[in-house]
Amino acid sequence: MTADHATAQSPTVHGPLGPDHLAAEVQLLAPAVVMTPEGPMEGYAAVVADGAFRAVGPAARLVREHPRLTPVRLPGHVLMPGFVDAHHHLTQSFGSALAFGEPSEIFRRVWVPLEGALDEESAYVAAKLAALESLRGGFTTVADAGTRASVDLDVVATATRDAGIRCVLGLVCNDAADVADAEGVEGTGGAAALAAAEAHLARYAGAELVHPSLAVSVPDAATARTLRGTARLAAEAGAVVQIHVNEHLAAVERSLVRHGLRPLEYLREAGALGPQLLAAHATLVTPAELTLLADTGTAVSYNPVASAWKGNAVAPATTMAERGIRFGLGTDGTRGDAFRLAEAAEFAQRLAYGLATGDSSCGAGWSWLERGGAGGADAVGLGALTGRIAPGAAADFLLVDVSGPEMRPSWDLPWELVRRGNRDQITAVFVAGRLRMWQGRAVGWDDRALVQRAAELAAEVVGRAGVTRVHPTSTQARARSAVR
């Protein structure tokens, strides 16, 4: 259906704006501001049809060019790209709060046993719960770096489709048995791992919301043959390989002992660096490794909240930007709140690097909105599809209410969205042109029933998982402090 043949598709708004006003297949949306790739534009509008933006430009012109469409006026709202979470673990949602206060490399004590205790229902519910939180927080795309749950990966794919979020779905291809076993994934042997990788890429080729990806837990978890093979398969398919790289001191030191090389250096030797690689974290990088990333076109997921909660360092993101290194922003499953992630991205750079050098801007507000949207889309292999408000791009976007005291008076909207924006201001979330969230609630399915079921299943899963925490709970820590 084209916009010119959609006489009844855009309703006239009578009374307060509601979700019914945004349910049409073809719409002419006229907000106060459209956040275009060139910056915020007042008096702009966008035509949405067939899941994509068909036109973006001055509202008066679009109204003239599409006389059969009744504009949906959205005063006090910004129409902006949905955020892209460049690094997530969807099936870890039952244990997100178990990471609080824990030291680094918690996968052995928390994630391996937790995901190992998931069955088909609990894996589905955990993944859908994570997708719900992400949508509520303004993410329209998540990149899942693979699960350790012993279920068909289509369980996770189905959960994300049912929630209505776009997902870059990673298949774990570990095949180095000794390291893979430590990671909680059985080594499969190089040939079997590559065959499974090829089948996964074919299984979801052309799917609307699920985009196949390959994954390796850490460089040491796969043989050099599999690292090269997954890089080749992903490059041929236009997909990405997700690998945790240079995240913790212990991992860097293990690589030095085993290979005489740091993890990124080992990936170079194995032939795995390149535009198809999405390196998660990259917090502990030398100047030479920054050059490797820049020269090979390798992408990075900068995960500032994860670094603060359970890491050893903060990735030098402003330096990466200056060096032309591709990167997006990721949550690592910490919390699905895109505005808080953007603020953390800027704030972490300020604390780790800006204060010491007198850099009072640290990339400015626009940098972090761009890395949270278009930069993240590029990093996860979807740069041609999503992450921007432009003709031909997928209609993955947010309507954000900026009429409240957080944004008025307004002087510099990008900075204000980064520093003062919050998920409570998100009125609507669209993915592929369809309304998925309205004022924090799912559209078309019962999110409250999901949350209730998740609470029930999480108690069962964590109870049988054998999770080991090093740090006491807050209540226990307070009691110990009182005793001292």
Side-chain angles (χ1 to χ4, degrees):
M1 180 182 298
T2 64
D4 289 336
H5 293 83
T7 305
Q9 295 298 318
S10 287
T12 301
V13 176
H14 298 290
L17 181 70
D20 291 346
H21 297 125
L22 298 168
E25 294 180 11
V26 182
Q27 304 185 74
L28 198 170
L29 303 177
V33 177
V34 174
M35 192 67 71
T36 73
E38 293 73 35
M41 298 292 185
E42 295 184 11
Y44 262 44
V47 175
V48 176
D50 301 321
F53 290 108
R54 296 307 179 197
V56 179
R61 174 170 64 80
L62 294 192
V63 169
R64 289 195 308 271
E65 293 176 351
H66 302 274
R68 298 183 180 184
L69 292 176
T70 302
V72 180
R73 304 289 179 182
L74 301 161
H77 281 80
V78 172
L79 190 158
M80 63 180 289
F83 287 87
V84 175
D85 185 342
H87 185 61
H88 205 316
H89 295 274
L90 295 172
T91 57
Q92 293 179 1
S93 64
F94 289 173
S96 295
L98 295 175
F100 301 159
E102 291 294 296
S104 65
E105 289 211 316
I106 63 173
F107 66 87
R108 298 178 190 276
R109 295 177 286 102
V110 178
W111 306 131
V112 168
L114 178 71
E115 290 183 297
L118 294 172
D119 58 17
E120 187 169 300
E121 182 191 8
S122 54
Y124 172 88
V125 172
K128 194 172 183 181
L129 181 71
L132 171 63
E133 183 187 0
S134 295
L135 284 166
R136 276 171 45 84
F139 292 104
T140 52
T141 298
V142 292
D144 181 77
T147 182
R148 299 176 180 87
S150 57
V151 299
D152 188 322
L153 202 55
D154 199 54
V155 170
V156 179
T158 301
T160 60
R161 279 194 301 257
D162 290 350
I165 200 167
R166 195 178 297 281
C167 179
V168 176
L169 184 61
L171 172 74
V172 175
C173 300
N174 298 356
D175 73 325
D178 55 339
V179 177
D181 289 342
E183 286 282 319
V185 181
E186 292 296 328
T188 59
L194 293 177
E198 194 165 10
H200 176 69
L201 293 172
R203 183 181 193 180
Y204 296 103
E208 181 187 19
L209 294 182
V210 179
H211 307 272
S213 163
L214 305 178
V216 173
S217 299
V218 292
D220 275 357
T223 61
R225 174 191 177 187
T226 293
L227 291 172
R228 285 192 299 273
T230 52
R232 174 182 58 80
L233 289 172
E236 291 172 353
V240 296
V241 182
Q242 304 180 57
I243 307 179
H244 296 79
V245 175
N246 290 51
E247 179 183 5
H248 298 299
L249 287 168
V252 172
E253 291 168 355
R254 277 196 301 269
S255 181
L256 285 167
V257 170
R258 185 169 186 172
H259 305 291
L261 298 168
R262 295 165 64 86
L264 268 171
E265 295 170 335
Y266 174 62
L267 289 174
R268 173 193 57 185
E269 183 175 88
L273 293 186
Q276 82 293 330
L277 177 60
L278 174 54
H281 299 288
T283 55
L284 300 164
V285 285
T286 64
E289 288 171 315
L290 287 171
T291 298
L292 278 180
L293 292 170
D295 288 350
T296 59
T298 297
V300 170
S301 175
Y302 166 40
N303 311 320
V305 179
S307 294
W309 285 8
K310 53 188 176 64
N312 295 127
V314 174
T318 49
T319 299
M320 289 179 179
E322 181 64 24
R323 296 287 300 274
I325 295 168
R326 302 162 54 227
F327 72 90
L329 308 182
T331 65
D332 199 16
T334 50
R335 62 185 180 216
D337 189 323
F339 285 113
R340 292 186 74 183
L341 177 65
E343 194 271 342
E346 185 269 337
F347 195 53
Q349 292 303 295
R350 183 174 300 275
L351 289 180
Y353 306 105
L355 291 180
T357 60
D359 181 1
S360 59
S361 175
C362 289
W366 70 269
S367 296
W368 307 111
L369 292 182
E370 183 175 277
R371 296 296 176 174
D378 172 61
V380 304
L382 301 182
L385 177 66
T386 189
R388 66 196 188 285
I389 310 299
D396 301 345
F397 65 96
L398 313 178
L399 295 176
V400 179
D401 186 346
V402 293
S403 65
E406 297 86 358
M407 300 292 174
R408 286 290 180 270
S410 177
W411 309 108
D412 188 338
L413 184 58
W415 258 127
E416 290 153 13
L417 288 169
V418 169
R419 283 285 181 83
R420 298 174 66 84
N422 65 82
R423 85 175 147 203
D424 290 343
Q425 295 171 244
I426 301 173
T427 297
V429 179
F430 286 76
V431 179
R434 287 183 53 194
L435 180 63
R436 310 290 180 166
M437 300 290 297
W438 174 258
Q439 295 182 343
R441 296 294 309 280
V443 174
W445 57 278
D446 190 344
D447 52 356
R448 287 178 177 167
L450 174 78
V451 172
Q452 177 60 39
R453 184 58 179 150
E456 296 165 354
L457 288 173
E460 299 173 9
V461 170
V462 173
R464 66 173 178 260
V467 168
T468 302
R469 297 185 67 186
V470 173
H471 195 274
T473 66
S474 293
T475 302
Q476 293 167 338
R478 181 180 183 182
R480 292 182 185 180
S481 179
V483 170
R484 288 197 294 268

